[in-house]
């Protein structure tokens, strides 16, 4: 599949926009996965703990590979706890406690390997080099990695973190409007797995929020845009998660979600919708990037975007029985 260019290829500094990729799968433990990444892209292997590894100093930066559960990894807070005034006996006790904690977490990781996914978090990659990253997906398939459709229990996903073009509210609002308009189409194209539909990680936006944001009278400043998003979406579990971007833009914002350990501030959209379709030989990050680009194209075409917003408002502001009647008439005409 040919990689599609975004309508705006550079960021606010004039540099090529980058995109982060995260992929979940089963069938290949973290250590074997890390070795595979190093074989493909070079770098140095760093074993942080038995089920969390880094491949550092690759051509793009640092890859993180780990079991996707916090209970398989030592608690960083406990490891970094330090008391200068502790007696020798207290230090020995603390050392034993940490040793027991590390062994317990390693055992938990051994037990859940195969039940929880391995996750690769790729470094930010220039968008025009995603085809080279897709070597990784073919190599994972060859090594027996299993994606979303390999089991009813596998609610695995691929996340894209496209770097924003700029930070003004007009651009961000247009991107959100375009996404809301294309969300149903994206779900149909991706054929979101039933397990991922049931799990909460990539929930759709509620219609109440869409009606507010798509209305022509909605012209917020940046702080209002952020506050409205947080009011209607007090969760990380949205198919397009803007919390990392807002945490980057407003590090002093008081909302607790923007200071959660799980919210990593970064100047990107966090697009959580795609399945991990490793069973399909032609599937990879390029496929999902090209679908995402349709959102960017619509956002960049202000006239078409406004017309589509007005159509949505007109249709969804009607009573439910009028909408049903209109759809029925449309079906009768098409037949």
């Amino acid at each position: 599949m040919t990689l599609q260019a975004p309508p705006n290829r550079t960021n606010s500094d004039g540099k090529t926009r980058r995109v982060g990729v995260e992929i979940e799968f089963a069938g290949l433990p973290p250590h074997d996965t890390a070795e595979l990444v190093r074989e493909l892209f070079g770098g140095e292997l760093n074993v942080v703990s038995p089920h969390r590894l880094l491949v550092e100093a690759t051509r793009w930066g640092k890859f993180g590979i780990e079991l996707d559960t916090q209970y398989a990894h030592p608690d960083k807070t406990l490891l970094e706890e330090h008391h200068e005034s502790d007696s020798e006996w207290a230090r020995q006790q603390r050392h034993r406690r940490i040793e027991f904690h590390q062994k317990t977490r390693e055992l938990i990781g051994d037990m859940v390997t195969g039940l929880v996914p391995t996750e690769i978090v790729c470094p930010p990659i220039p968008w025009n080099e995603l085809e080279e990253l897709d070597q990784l997906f073919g190599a994972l398939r060859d090594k027996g990695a299993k994606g979303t459709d390999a089991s009813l229990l596998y609610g695995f996903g691929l996340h894209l973190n496209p770097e924003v073009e700029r930070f003004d509210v007009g651009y961000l609002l247009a991107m959100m409007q375009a996404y809301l308009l294309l969300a149903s189409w994206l779900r149909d194209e991706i054929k979101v797995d039933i397990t991922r539909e049931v799990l909460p990680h990539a929930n759709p936006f509620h219609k109440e929020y869409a009606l507010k944001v798509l209305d022509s009278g909605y012209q917020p400043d940046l702080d209002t845009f952020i506050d409205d998003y947080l009011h209607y979406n007090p969760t990380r579990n949205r198919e397009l998660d803007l919390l990392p971007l807002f945490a980057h833009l407003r590090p002093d914002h008081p909302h607790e979600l923007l200071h959660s350990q799980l919210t990593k501030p970064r100047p990107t959209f966090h697009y959580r919708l795609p399945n991990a379709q490793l069973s399909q030989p032609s599937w990879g990050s390029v496929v999902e990037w090209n679908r995402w680009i349709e959102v960017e194209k619509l956002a960049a075409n202000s006239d078409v975007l406004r017309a589509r917003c007005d159509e949505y408002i007109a249709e969804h502001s009607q009573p439910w029985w009028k909408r049903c009647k209109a759809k029925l008439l449309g079906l009768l005409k098409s037949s």
Side-chain angles (χ1 to χ4, degrees):
M1 180 173 287
T2 303
L3 179 69
Q4 299 297 310
N8 300 295
R9 305 182 184 193
T10 57
N11 61 20
S12 56
D13 294 325
K15 297 178 180 178
T16 299
R17 289 172 60 203
R18 298 182 297 170
V19 54
V21 179
E22 304 168 29
I23 173 72
E24 302 167 333
F25 53 89
L28 201 63
H31 193 277
D32 293 349
T33 302
E35 290 285 6
L36 178 61
V37 170
R38 183 170 62 170
E39 287 174 18
L40 289 171
F41 305 124
E44 301 172 1
L45 188 64
N46 176 5
V47 180
V48 180
S49 61
H51 301 290
R52 174 176 285 155
L53 303 97
L54 302 173
V55 180
E56 301 175 307
T58 74
R59 56 178 291 191
W60 293 307
K62 178 174 65 181
F63 286 78
I65 301 99
E66 63 180 47
L67 282 181
D68 191 21
T69 171
Q70 62 179 336
Y71 302 110
H73 313 296
D75 186 329
K76 186 178 178 181
T77 305
L78 176 61
L79 297 183
E80 294 178 350
E81 189 180 75
H82 187 64
H83 301 287
E84 292 286 348
S85 59
D86 280 353
S87 64
E88 181 61 28
W89 182 85
R91 282 194 292 271
Q92 290 178 2
Q93 289 296 104
R94 179 176 177 275
H95 176 75
R96 292 191 186 96
R97 188 167 69 252
I98 289 175
E99 194 173 54
F100 178 76
H101 172 77
Q102 291 174 319
K103 290 290 186 184
T104 302
R105 291 298 174 98
E106 180 179 357
L107 178 61
I108 291 172
D110 291 342
M111 293 173 62
V112 302
T113 297
L115 300 176
V116 301
T118 297
E119 180 182 38
I120 302 176
V121 178
C122 303
I125 292 167
W127 69 266
N128 54 359
E129 297 179 24
L130 282 173
E131 288 170 309
E132 297 173 58
L133 178 68
D134 273 5
Q135 297 175 66
L136 175 60
F137 294 86
L140 287 170
R141 275 189 286 270
D142 292 343
K143 292 289 186 179
K146 306 296 183 184
T148 315
D149 55 358
S151 168
L152 286 174
L153 300 177
Y154 290 171
F156 304 154
L158 176 133
H159 299 174
L160 294 181
N161 298 286
E163 184 179 15
V164 298
E165 176 204 344
R166 56 185 198 270
F167 300 107
D168 62 276
V169 69
Y171 163 73
L172 299 179
L173 175 60
M175 286 293 294
M176 176 54 77
Q177 290 173 332
Y179 187 84
L180 291 168
L181 292 169
L182 292 177
S184 293
W185 173 80
L186 285 167
R187 285 180 171 271
D188 290 342
E189 284 289 302
I190 293 168
K191 297 178 176 58
V192 178
D193 186 83
I194 184 62
T195 305
R196 299 191 70 238
E197 291 279 16
V198 172
L199 293 171
H201 307 309
N203 285 340
F205 290 95
H206 298 311
K207 190 174 78 170
E208 184 182 13
Y209 180 65
L211 287 171
K212 182 179 186 66
V213 170
L214 298 177
D215 192 283
S216 59
Y218 186 62
Q219 300 292 330
D221 60 21
L222 181 57
D223 289 316
T224 301
F225 180 63
I226 292 173
D227 288 343
D228 287 341
Y229 179 95
L230 292 168
H231 173 74
Y232 286 94
N233 306 284
T235 176
R236 295 177 62 247
N237 298 324
R238 284 285 180 263
E239 54 195 358
L240 181 62
D241 174 17
L242 297 191
L243 296 181
L245 175 59
F246 293 159
H248 172 81
L249 291 174
R250 292 291 185 266
D252 297 327
H253 196 288
H255 199 288
E256 61 182 9
L257 277 176
L258 300 187
H259 302 281
S260 165
Q261 257 190 329
L262 298 174
T263 300
K264 297 178 175 62
R266 53 196 173 197
T268 69
F269 301 106
H270 186 39
Y271 173 47
R272 304 162 63 99
L273 190 60
N275 301 323
Q277 299 286 20
L278 286 171
S279 63
Q280 299 179 11
S282 60
W283 180 83
S285 62
V286 170
V287 170
E288 301 304 343
W289 169 262
N290 286 351
R291 288 170 174 155
W292 166 260
I293 288 304
E294 294 304 312
V295 176
E296 298 208 5
K297 288 178 179 177
L298 179 56
N301 191 332
S302 57
D303 291 339
V304 174
L305 178 63
R306 184 67 264 154
R308 293 279 301 273
C309 287
D310 291 342
E311 288 172 7
Y312 182 98
I313 293 293
E315 177 183 352
H316 290 271
S317 296
Q318 295 178 346
W320 67 269
W321 58 270
K322 282 192 176 181
R323 295 201 301 273
C324 292
K325 182 179 178 182
K327 287 182 180 178
L328 180 58
L329 288 173
L331 289 172
L332 291 173
K333 287 179 181 178
S334 63
S335 61

